[in-house]
Amino acid sequence: MLERLGFPRVGTHRRFVSAIVADTIGSGLFLPVTILYFLKVTDLTLVQIGAALSLSALATLPAAFVVGSLVDRLGGRRMMLIGNVVQGVGMLAYLWAEAFWSVALFTVLLNLGRQAFWGSFGNVVTAITRPGERETWFGFLQALRNLGYAVGGILAGIALQIDTEAAFKVVVIANTASFVLAYVLLLDVPDHRVARADETPIEGWGVVLRDRAYLRFVLAQLALVIGIMVLNFALPVYAAKTLGLPGWLVGAIFTLNTVMIGLGQGLTVRWMTGRVRARMMALNQGLFVASYAVFVLAGWLPVWLAVAAMLLGAAIYTGGELVGGPVFSATAAEAAPDHLRGRYLGLVQLMWAIGGTIAPVAFTFLLGHGTNTIWWALGLVALGGAAYSLTLPRVLPTAGEKVAAG
């Protein structure tokens, strides 16, 4: 069945894949109720909770550099294990979070664990796969992550329906259990550390930060990150508040996105096979621009036509995700030297952390300054990203290679 959808044979990597599924179901269970949980179990206001979460995100931004160094020294699998432990401890501590500083401190712990886990993810995927099948594997795992988040989100809906403090605490315990399960599953995953001929120290961050070609790629990646953030931070507010469309539409958009990625990611990679990576990066941004145009159109239509337009725009937007995600991930991994891949991918992880920090503030500001202001701004970013991506093969040969589906 998986092969028909363009996904790889799991084979000996079954436990690694299962660990990713366990982690994402648990995270998908808690993420939708994060703010609601603290509103339920603490006396903090919405503004105080938001400030605590933002402060913790800012405090952990530099951790990407530390994680990258540790991945190169200790190996990706070991850092994923450490990440699971730290996430589990941080999540369990939420049961005792009552004041502003305890929420911020425990969230810092959780964010550090998340950075260690996902900052190692690309290294492990690269180690267990061969050149020529990286887009397929990154796409497959991205699809599983989406489906895992969706399953977790459905289960979170049960807690929201019950709406008691006990129900929310069960969600925390269940998420903690998912980290424990992922840890156990990862114990049998091979280490795959890069062997070195001697014990001389490997190069540090200076080598990475002087790699101008890779820095240019990371800047192109930031355009992808900004686009990806639209689904969580811009679309719900735009659909429900700005346009005043039915509340169920937000859930329908997320469901459409999840189903399309879950069923279409492998087929998209198969379609991209033989096409130049940089052109697919540009196509990713082009599809984002097209979706933004449809969202603008929705604001000029009657309610039910606007609903249809928003769903169409969401489908086009998801097409951009399907095209961009695997190509950027595979290029990022293969353009990095083996012995420094942890640091190189740590730089990519930093872009995701920066995007996650600035997107809520920037998007809400733009949404508050006119119906279409945000789409004009995002459209310019995407068009610039598309043009910029096409220049990458001149300096980064990996971006000029063709997509392969081994």
Side-chain angles (χ1 to χ4, degrees):
M1 176 63 179
L2 289 178
E3 288 79 7
R4 291 181 182 177
L5 293 175
F7 292 134
R9 291 182 180 274
V10 175
T12 57
H13 308 312
R14 186 172 291 105
R15 293 180 73 86
F16 175 72
V17 171
S18 298
I20 299 301
V21 172
D23 183 277
T24 51
I25 289 178
S27 297
L29 180 60
F30 184 76
L31 284 175
V33 303
T34 301
I35 294 176
L36 297 175
Y37 172 79
F38 292 119
L39 285 173
K40 178 66 68 173
V41 304
T42 73
D43 294 326
L44 299 176
T45 66
L46 184 63
V47 173
Q48 289 174 319
I49 293 169
L53 297 178
S54 296
L55 179 64
S56 65
L58 286 172
T60 52
L61 278 179
F65 294 100
V66 178
V67 169
S69 299
L70 290 175
V71 169
D72 288 332
R73 185 172 299 277
L74 302 177
R77 185 203 66 135
R78 188 174 297 180
M79 284 303 296
M80 289 188 83
L81 288 170
I82 292 172
N84 272 127
V85 172
V86 176
Q87 285 185 100
V89 172
M91 179 57 58
L92 189 63
Y94 273 168
L95 294 175
W96 293 276
E98 296 179 350
F100 177 90
W101 289 110
S102 62
V103 172
L105 178 62
F106 297 153
T107 304
V108 164
L109 198 59
L110 189 66
N111 287 345
L112 289 174
R114 185 177 295 119
Q115 287 206 33
F117 186 87
W118 292 112
S120 310
F121 169 77
N123 293 268
V124 176
V125 175
T126 305
I128 66 176
T129 57
R130 300 185 305 274
E133 61 180 21
R134 300 268 164 70
E135 275 94 356
T136 299
W137 268 94
F138 277 113
F140 169 57
L141 292 169
Q142 179 60 46
L144 285 182
R145 287 173 66 181
N146 271 61
L147 290 174
Y149 287 134
V151 172
I154 292 171
L155 296 175
I158 299 175
L160 290 172
Q161 187 65 33
I162 298 173
D163 196 27
T164 64
E165 184 173 322
F168 280 97
K169 288 189 173 182
V170 167
V171 169
V172 169
I173 294 170
N175 195 8
T176 303
S178 75
F179 293 134
V180 174
L181 176 58
Y183 177 90
V184 172
L185 290 168
L186 285 170
L187 286 173
D188 288 339
V189 175
D191 197 358
H192 293 294
R193 274 190 292 176
V194 176
R196 287 187 285 143
D198 53 52
E199 291 302 318
T200 56
I202 58 178
E203 300 102 321
W205 276 99
V207 174
V208 181
L209 297 177
R210 287 193 298 270
D211 190 338
R212 293 184 179 180
Y214 201 85
L215 292 178
R216 286 187 61 174
F217 167 77
V218 169
L219 184 59
Q221 176 103 26
L222 184 58
L224 170 73
V225 171
I226 292 171
I228 294 293
M229 297 293 168
V230 167
L231 180 67
N232 288 323
F233 297 114
L235 274 183
V237 177
Y238 179 72
K241 301 297 183 182
T242 304
L243 299 187
L245 298 176
W248 58 262
L249 176 61
V250 174
I253 288 174
F254 276 86
T255 300
L256 176 65
N257 177 268
T258 299
V259 172
M260 284 185 64
I261 291 179
L263 299 180
Q265 186 66 86
L267 297 174
T268 302
V269 172
R270 183 179 292 174
W271 173 81
M272 290 191 295
T273 300
R275 291 173 167 82
V276 176
R277 284 173 170 171
R279 293 179 182 176
M280 295 299 97
M281 295 175 189
L283 177 61
N284 151 249
Q285 296 296 322
L287 288 170
F288 280 168
V289 172
S291 71
Y292 303 155
V294 176
F295 296 148
V296 170
L297 175 63
W300 301 338
L301 299 173
V303 171
W304 290 106
L305 282 177
V307 167
M310 289 298 296
L311 290 172
L312 174 61
I316 297 171
Y317 168 87
T318 303
E321 280 194 82
L322 288 167
V323 169
V327 173
F328 272 98
S329 296
T331 305
E334 293 185 1
D338 290 343
H339 66 296
L340 288 174
R341 185 169 288 118
R343 287 173 170 84
Y344 272 79
L345 294 187
L347 201 59
V348 173
Q349 187 67 23
L350 179 63
M351 292 301 103
W352 285 99
I354 291 173
T357 301
I358 65 175
V361 176
F363 289 179
T364 51
F365 173 81
L366 291 169
L367 284 165
H369 286 75
T371 303
N372 298 322
T373 305
I374 186 170
W375 305 121
W376 284 110
L378 288 171
L380 289 173
V381 169
L383 286 173
Y388 186 74
S389 295
L390 292 174
T391 69
L392 288 177
R394 301 175 192 170
V395 295
L396 192 70
T398 312
E401 294 177 1
K402 293 182 178 180
V403 175

